[in-house]
Amino acid sequence: MSFSDREYFRNFEKISWSYLSKNYDYYYLKAMHEKNRLDGADTIIVGSSHALFGINEHDLTYAGKTIQFSIASQDLYYDFLHIKKAFSDGKKQIKNCFINFGYYMLYQDVSRAELVKYLVPNVYMNLFGEEGKHNYVDAVARDPLSVVEYNKDLYPPDIIRSWCEFWSNRTVMEEGTFFNNINSRANHNMLGVRKVIWNTLSEEEKYDVAKDRTLNGHNKHVKYEESHIENIKIIQEMVSFLYTNGVKPLFFITPYTKYYNQYIYSGYKPDIYKVLDELDYPVEFFDMNDFQDEFTDEDFLDSDHLNDIGAKKATVLLDSYLENVYFG
């Protein structure tokens, strides 16, 4: 093979990696739905980054074969779309469904949030078509290839597209989880600068991070009453759907640091209890923050996301709940 040939294929590989890295959320979710279609699942997990960082789905002893349909910032509307698609397309009957909550999620709507509404054209419309728009009514699905820079004369788009789609789907399917050999939790440090390690911060700095995360972020969701009303309806429909399919849902909240818990709006949790208690069907609710003493600062990447060590602990804790309560 000549130098030019080697360079050609080396660039081909670079294009493939760029394509996957810039479309990772989409291809992860797409691959998990394909896995469910081909292999099936006993249990599915839906949620946001707290579930993604907090639970190692393949280590849940009592859940059987488990597939996680969670990405950062995902809300209840898209959780429900994943659930319906998983039940419709799955190779076998799904037995369990675990829905991750953040305290603020009854007020969250990705399709209205300027910071994360890019997920609608980038991810959800490519997965769910027009239904993926939700309240982002003028959204247009984005071509995954459009964000990749490459020489179109040397690499025709139709060839590149077919190869990148195949390669991305195969790569994520082979890895099997969101965090893996090519994509680690540490590389998603929510502190913004990867060199900053949560446990190296001073006590004052940790409180400052938690204040910013809650007072300037999650606590402000409470003003979105229209989203709150819609999300209550979504939960009602979700729970009814699951019961119709023979599944009693489990809603769960992963642990947060004491700093985050000190500043998160105190009205969120009673509101969650009220909504779940008023459902037409009984559901399970497990808040791991009731077991906060089992976690230390060394278990976190930031104020409210677990690292590898913390995820192992949270997974064991959830597994214990499944054994003694959910299946007990």
Side-chain angles (χ1 to χ4, degrees):
M1 180 182 291
S2 68
F3 174 80
S4 59
D5 289 334
R6 289 197 301 271
E7 190 67 20
Y8 179 87
F9 287 109
R10 189 178 297 117
N11 287 334
F12 212 99
E13 184 179 19
K14 290 179 181 178
I15 294 169
S16 300
W17 278 110
S18 176
Y19 181 92
L20 176 57
S21 64
K22 293 180 179 180
N23 296 286
Y24 193 86
D25 285 345
Y26 167 58
Y27 274 98
Y28 168 73
L29 292 173
K30 183 174 183 288
M32 293 305 100
H33 278 291
E34 182 71 0
K35 183 178 181 181
N36 180 48
R37 187 183 69 83
L38 295 175
D39 301 332
D42 298 303
T43 299
I44 60 171
I45 301 174
V46 295
S48 64
S49 58
H50 292 134
L52 195 62
F53 281 78
I55 301 299
N56 298 326
E57 60 271 20
H58 294 169
D59 294 331
L60 289 171
T61 308
Y62 296 95
K65 186 180 295 184
T66 304
I67 297 177
Q68 176 152 205
F69 299 101
S70 304
I71 63 169
S73 300
Q74 188 160 277
D75 64 21
L76 289 164
Y77 174 81
Y78 294 109
D79 287 343
F80 193 19
L81 289 188
H82 285 304
I83 290 170
K84 288 186 285 188
K85 183 175 177 61
F87 274 83
S88 172
D89 296 352
K91 184 176 181 180
K92 64 179 185 177
Q93 176 66 33
I94 295 168
K95 300 175 183 176
N96 313 298
C97 181
F98 307 155
I99 302 107
N100 165 239
F101 258 179
Y103 286 133
Y104 56 90
M105 283 184 67
L106 283 175
Y107 295 83
Q108 183 184 26
D109 182 344
V110 168
S111 67
R112 296 181 189 271
E114 291 302 322
L115 286 176
V116 292
K117 66 191 298 185
Y118 67 86
L119 289 170
V120 174
N122 290 4
V123 178
Y124 296 121
M125 288 191 69
N126 283 322
L127 279 173
F128 303 116
E130 290 296 300
E131 197 174 13
K133 285 185 175 182
H134 195 195
N135 292 311
Y136 189 177
V137 294
D138 58 346
V140 178
R142 192 211 67 188
D143 177 3
L145 190 60
S146 66
V147 294
V148 181
E149 296 182 3
Y150 64 98
N151 187 324
K152 295 180 177 61
D153 293 327
L154 285 177
Y155 307 93
D158 56 337
I159 295 175
I160 281 291
R161 184 189 310 280
S162 296
W163 167 252
C164 285
E165 287 177 352
F166 167 78
W167 185 85
S168 296
N169 189 65
R170 186 194 65 182
T171 300
V172 178
M173 285 280 280
E174 288 178 351
E175 293 293 337
T177 58
F178 189 92
F179 297 121
N180 47 56
N181 293 322
I182 62 173
N183 186 40
S184 70
R185 277 183 179 84
N187 285 341
H188 292 265
N189 188 333
M190 295 290 178
L191 295 178
V193 181
R194 294 178 184 176
K195 292 181 180 179
V196 175
I197 299 173
W198 169 256
N199 200 43
T200 65
L201 299 178
S202 67
E203 193 83 351
E204 182 180 0
E205 289 171 326
K206 289 176 180 177
Y207 277 115
D208 287 342
V209 169
K211 281 182 184 179
D212 183 62
R213 180 76 166 157
T214 53
L215 303 185
N216 296 324
H218 292 165
N219 288 1
K220 291 186 175 182
H221 285 66
V222 74
K223 65 184 178 183
Y224 301 122
E225 186 56 34
E226 184 177 350
S227 296
H228 182 233
I229 293 170
E230 183 180 13
N231 280 326
I232 293 173
K233 184 179 179 182
I234 289 170
I235 288 177
Q236 292 169 342
E237 293 176 354
M238 179 191 296
V239 170
S240 177
F241 174 88
L242 289 168
Y243 263 91
T244 299
N245 285 275
V247 174
K248 182 181 182 181
L250 163 63
F251 292 87
F252 73 96
I253 297 178
T254 56
Y256 311 131
T257 64
K258 65 180 181 181
Y259 314 97
Y260 181 92
N261 279 317
Q262 178 167 326
Y263 293 111
I264 192 68
Y265 171 57
S266 61
Y268 280 147
K269 188 168 183 177
D271 186 38
I272 292 172
Y273 275 112
K274 181 176 184 296
V275 170
L276 297 184
D277 285 343
E278 292 178 353
L279 292 171
D280 293 334
Y281 304 91
V283 299
E284 294 285 344
F285 178 59
F286 180 41
D287 187 351
M288 296 187 194
N289 291 286
D290 294 337
F291 299 84
Q292 201 173 14
D293 290 346
E294 297 193 20
F295 296 87
T296 68
D297 284 358
E298 287 81 2
D299 298 325
F300 290 87
L301 279 173
D302 51 51
S303 69
D304 53 305
H305 292 95
L306 293 164
N307 58 25
D308 289 339
I309 297 171
K312 289 180 181 179
K313 288 185 179 182
T315 302
V316 169
L317 189 58
L318 178 58
D319 216 28
S320 177
Y321 182 88
L322 296 178
E323 178 187 14
N324 296 303
V325 181
Y326 189 73
F327 296 124

